[in-house]
Amino acid sequence: MKYLPLVISATLLALPQPAAAIPRTEKAILAQIEICRTSLEMVRDGASDDEETDYLVAQLERNGWDEETDLDDLMLVCIFFKQGWLHSQSE
């Protein structure tokens, strides 16, 4: 699990960035990883989908990511993070 943030960072930096997307800078990616880590912990602790979505929306606002598709972009990043966590649990 200790290499997961590095793998996610490399994957995100390799993705093409559309004009309206959450940033792919190193600082932004580290923030996104931390957001996804907290989101995963919320889910593991029994949070509802609405509670998780509310948290993600609040984090988007906190970081100034206010484009129309930013929530979808962040949710995609978090899906990668959750898949990595699930994979690490199956080893």
Side-chain angles (χ1 to χ4, degrees):
M1 184 74 172
K2 73 179 188 177
Y3 296 107
L4 184 60
L6 178 63
V7 172
I8 291 172
S9 296
T11 303
L12 292 175
L13 286 171
L15 292 174
Q17 183 174 358
I22 52 179
R24 299 286 193 249
T25 64
E26 181 181 359
K27 181 179 176 183
I29 289 171
L30 292 174
Q32 293 162 33
I33 289 170
E34 190 56 39
I35 291 167
C36 293
R37 179 177 286 122
T38 301
S39 173
L40 173 62
E41 290 172 6
M42 289 175 65
V43 170
R44 290 179 54 210
D45 290 340
S48 69
D49 289 345
D50 289 339
E51 290 170 323
E52 181 187 14
T53 301
D54 290 345
Y55 167 75
L56 295 176
V57 168
Q59 294 306 306
L60 288 170
E61 291 172 3
R62 179 175 164 251
N63 286 285
W65 301 328
D66 56 5
E67 297 293 329
E68 184 177 325
T69 60
D70 285 350
L71 179 58
D72 291 338
D73 290 345
L74 184 57
M75 291 177 102
L76 181 63
V77 171
C78 289
I79 287 170
F80 286 132
F81 188 88
K82 290 172 185 172
Q83 285 179 322
W85 180 82
L86 285 171
H87 178 71
S88 72
Q89 298 305 302
S90 67
E91 292 183 346

